[in-house]
Amino acid sequence: MIDHARDLASVREATERLLTAAAALDNASVAEPSRLPGWSRGHVLAHIARNADALVNVLAGRPMYASAETRDTDIDRDAPRALDVQRADVRDSAAGFQAEGERPADWSRTVELRNGVTDSAARVPFRRLVEVELHHVDLGIGYELEDLPEDFVRRETDFLADRFAGHKDVPPIALSDDAGRTWTTGGGAEGGPVQVSGPAADLMGWLAGRRDGAALKATGGTLPALPPL
């Protein structure tokens, strides 16, 4: 069962970890490339801040973004800012998200995200947690997938396996990690079933597009190429 209050607390803790780590940067390193193609670290920090604002909109019943173009333009606009401005924006926007999350509300209601995607309001704090944790890794400043909390890795693997289930471009896949947990996903494309196994962080990283799967073992076929999220 989803515990949105616990997830809100986890978001607060993850944000503090990110802000503490980012304090060791300087203006020059913020302008350097992140691990996301075409994005500097400034782009990543700007996206984290604007995503908090966007999820406030979601919880308040407003459109997540005015448009896809506005989302991208805002990130490009904010990316070149100085480190102290970036950190203040991440902190302030995170506080706004926490405040919205603490308002009395019906957490069982359905909310709308980007591109017409809907979800339970109770899942929004975990969606925010994913943004903070994975983009902390994307900054490339010493926080790795292996540093992510074990419960987070399990839950995000659950989410990603469900997201790829039945996907028209993904063959049937049986997943297993080194803790003995198993999932099934794919099934919309021909081939397989392929068994994919390996360390939990590498398995989640592959599903999330953060690892190439080199550390995973595939049997019954080659490691499938996953479509972008």
Side-chain angles (χ1 to χ4, degrees):
M1 187 172 182
I2 299 170
D3 185 342
H4 72 274
R6 185 191 70 166
D7 287 340
L8 282 167
S10 296
V11 170
R12 185 181 296 108
E13 294 166 2
T15 302
E16 286 303 317
R17 280 196 299 272
L18 185 151
L19 288 167
T20 299
L25 299 173
D26 56 27
N27 291 338
S29 54
V30 168
E32 291 172 351
S34 73
R35 291 177 175 175
L36 293 178
W39 271 17
S40 68
R41 292 189 178 108
H43 282 88
V44 175
L45 291 170
H47 170 61
I48 293 169
R50 300 288 70 77
N51 172 262
D53 294 341
L55 290 178
V56 167
N57 288 336
V58 168
L59 290 176
R62 299 187 293 267
M64 186 170 182
Y65 295 101
S67 68
E69 293 75 16
T70 299
R71 171 187 177 273
D72 296 342
T73 299
D74 287 350
I75 293 170
D76 287 339
R77 177 199 65 205
D78 294 341
R81 299 175 302 176
L83 174 63
D84 60 341
V85 179
Q86 295 277 18
R87 291 183 71 243
D89 191 18
V90 170
R91 186 179 295 281
D92 291 347
S93 58
F97 175 76
Q98 291 289 335
E100 186 65 33
E102 290 165 5
R103 295 181 189 277
D106 174 13
W107 286 95
S108 67
R109 71 191 188 280
T110 298
V111 295
E112 184 171 339
L113 294 102
R114 293 180 66 196
N115 303 320
V117 173
T118 59
D119 205 345
S120 164
R123 288 183 61 91
V124 171
F126 184 72
R127 284 181 175 268
R128 173 60 181 172
L129 183 61
V130 171
E131 293 289 327
V132 176
E133 290 283 37
L134 291 188
H135 286 315
H136 189 169
V137 174
D138 294 335
L139 287 171
I141 56 176
Y143 192 65
E144 303 296 340
L145 295 178
E146 287 76 12
D147 298 315
L148 294 167
E150 181 181 356
D151 182 62
F152 172 84
V153 172
R154 176 191 59 78
R155 290 179 66 192
E156 178 63 353
T157 304
D158 289 345
F159 174 79
L160 292 169
D162 184 65
R163 184 163 181 175
F164 284 120
H167 195 290
K168 65 182 181 63
D169 297 323
V170 181
I173 305 173
L175 305 164
S176 61
D177 68 13
D178 48 7
R181 292 175 291 239
T182 61
W183 300 262
T184 58
T185 193
E190 295 182 359
V194 181
Q195 290 78 44
V196 178
S197 60
D202 282 293
L203 194 66
M204 188 210 71
W206 173 64
L207 291 169
R210 264 69 179 185
R211 294 271 169 94
D212 62 7
L216 302 176
K217 178 181 179 182
T219 57
T222 58
L223 186 70
L226 298 178
L229 290 170

